[in-house]
Amino acid sequence: MELLSFLLALFWVQVASSHMVMNTPAIYSPNRASTWPVTNGGRFPYPCQGFTEIVTRTPITAGGTTLVNFTGSAPHGGGTCLFGLNYHSTPASPYTNDPEHFKTIYTIIGGCPADTTGNLETPDTCRGLDPNGNPDSVHCGNDSGKDCIRQFNIPFPDDLPSGNATFVWMWYNQRTKNELYMNCAPVYIDGKQSDTAPEDSPFVSSLPTMFLANVPGLTECATSQTGDQTGPFNVPNPGNFGVQLITPDPIAAGNCSTAPVAPFASSGNSMPTPALASTPAAAPTTSSTGFVTVTTSTAGYSSPASIPSEIPATTASEIPATTPVVTPPAAPSSQSTAPPPASTGGAAAPGSPICIDGHVYYKDGSA
């Protein structure tokens, strides 16, 4: 593969490289955020790659869902995704660096952000560059398609307190060794009112800390030491809410601890959609291991039409008046892999794109 990449470089122009990046909800510094893993310091440090610029703060209602989508051409066979929140902040940053402040609200074991054998880099799946210059591939338009990038409606617990927060996506991919991907997005949670600060909420404190590995100097363990795992990593503290889409492989844990196989009550091949906050939720189903999953529902979802009026004035001033509302598209009647129009995100490159090892090449007109 290395020889092939070298030979391609003689005739093709390499434009960008890609793994995966969260594009919805809007992340911090979206024009600068990278598709590369986080490290201890360096160019893209843990947490959140070090980015803090707020372009859009997305409103989210506790008890509802929000759409999460991704960009990239190298999903590395999918893997395990953790979704969480950090309510803490400092005068200099909208979030804190303490790993204990990042709390898991939902976990997807396997099939996230894709269910594929490797990467999506064939001529049929490589889509060139998105508007931010990130290589992209074909999108499913749903949470169950294969050989395409999935999107998910992630549920938010009813008991979350109101306030500004940082929404977090962490990804342990299925194919490579010792990597952790992480993107973060500024959000406002319209939840329960309290006399205490949201970061001091007993419910938030009860949520498990987002499992952290593969950041030397910050973590004590590393996953997938050999890179020959055939299933996803089963994180040891996935929380009470989530779904297992693919059976985990113990080898993927490396020297990290791992949870029991199939810890969730819902461990089938589809992802549940939670009941809306406006609909009384049925009691969750409890498995023998004590984990629970949200109630499934196909009720229509809509984001709040506007920022709620009860936001404190000191908080509301931080939210742009033109904050857009993210509303998921209607669920397709069947899997759709029709690609979006290709975009070069700037100056057009000659020829059609080809993806190799997470890199996008365009045919050099002189070749």
Side-chain angles (χ1 to χ4, degrees), residues 203-238:
F203 177 75
V204 172
S205 298
S206 73
L207 296 171
T209 299
M210 300 184 77
F211 184 77
L212 186 60
N214 302 340
V215 186
L218 291 178
T219 59
E220 299 178 353
C221 73
T223 64
S224 50
Q225 301 290 300
T226 59
D228 59 357
Q229 63 273 11
T230 59
F233 173 43
N234 203 22
V235 293
N237 56 345

Side-chain angles (χ1 to χ4, degrees), residues 246-281:
I246 296 176
T247 301
D249 183 352
I251 295 176
N255 64 359
C256 299
S257 58
T258 183
V261 175
F264 299 113
S266 175
S267 57
N269 295 321
S270 62
M271 180 180 170
T273 301
L276 298 178
S278 59
T279 303

Side-chain angles (χ1 to χ4, degrees), residues 37-60:
V38 292
T39 57
N40 182 14
R43 186 177 179 187
F44 303 115
Y46 173 90
C48 305
Q49 299 184 348
F51 294 119
T52 59
E53 178 191 6
I54 299 175
V55 176
T56 298
R57 187 181 292 279
T58 301
I60 296 172

Side-chain angles (χ1 to χ4, degrees), residues 46-48 86-90 93-99 101-102 166:
Y46 173 90
C48 305
N86 182 347
Y87 275 97
H88 292 259
S89 63
T90 71
S93 174
Y95 54 84
T96 51
N97 294 342
D98 187 344
H101 293 167
F102 292 85
T166 291

Side-chain angles (χ1 to χ4, degrees), residues 232-325:
F233 173 43
N234 203 22
V235 293
N237 56 345
N240 288 338
F241 301 99
V243 64
Q244 178 183 300
L245 300 180
I246 296 176
T247 301
D249 183 352
I251 295 176
N255 64 359
C256 299
S257 58
T258 183
V261 175
F264 299 113
S266 175
S267 57
N269 295 321
S270 62
M271 180 180 170
T273 301
L276 298 178
S278 59
T279 303
T285 303
T286 304
S287 71
S288 59
T289 56
F291 291 87
V292 297
T293 186
V294 293
T295 305
T296 57
S297 170
T298 56
Y301 166 76
S302 61
S303 296
S306 61
I307 298 296
S309 59
E310 57 266 25
I311 299 177
T314 55
T315 301
S317 63
E318 298 177 25
I319 303 176
T322 57
T323 299
V325 173

